[in-house]
Amino acid sequence: LQFQDHLPRCGSAIMGAKSKYVIVQLASVITGATRVWLRERAAEKTTRMLFDPALGRECLFEEVKRIKGKTDLSKHVKKMYGIEN
């Protein structure tokens, strides 16, 4: 037996590292229309001026919830946002 065999495993060694990015859902403050956005995990909640198809013009979209991390993204989405593996 080696010394390392007797050490308890920490959660990060078993689960793996957290992603640097998260996918969040943004909702229009006026109509409630939603969009998906990618941001860094450490960043503040996102608010953006985006085109709202229900209004036909730009309005404020605020982050309403997190969807998932970078590891769950498909290759197509990673390429679209320029994210490395």
Side-chain angles (χ1 to χ4, degrees):
L1 290 176
Q2 292 183 352
F3 179 128
Q4 294 174 347
D5 294 337
H6 297 293
L7 295 176
R9 292 190 175 249
C10 64
S12 63
I14 296 169
M15 298 297 290
K18 284 190 173 184
S19 171
K20 183 178 177 183
Y21 301 95
V22 291
I23 301 173
V24 295
Q25 184 176 30
L26 304 178
S28 167
V29 295
I30 297 173
T31 65
T34 60
R35 293 220 173 200
V36 176
W37 197 261
L38 184 71
R39 71 167 172 85
E40 289 190 9
R41 181 178 298 277
E44 303 258 335
K45 283 194 168 189
T46 303
T47 57
R48 301 267 184 226
M49 291 294 290
L50 300 170
F51 182 80
D52 187 340
L55 278 179
R57 59 185 300 183
E58 287 189 349
C59 73
L60 184 65
F61 279 72
E62 292 182 337
E63 182 177 328
V64 290
K65 70 177 186 175
R66 285 185 178 194
I67 299 175
K68 53 187 162 180
K70 181 186 95 169
T71 55
D72 298 322
L73 295 176
S74 67
K75 289 181 182 179
H76 170 74
V77 174
K78 287 181 183 180
K79 184 178 179 182
M80 185 170 58
Y81 285 105
I83 300 170
E84 289 95 32
N85 296 328

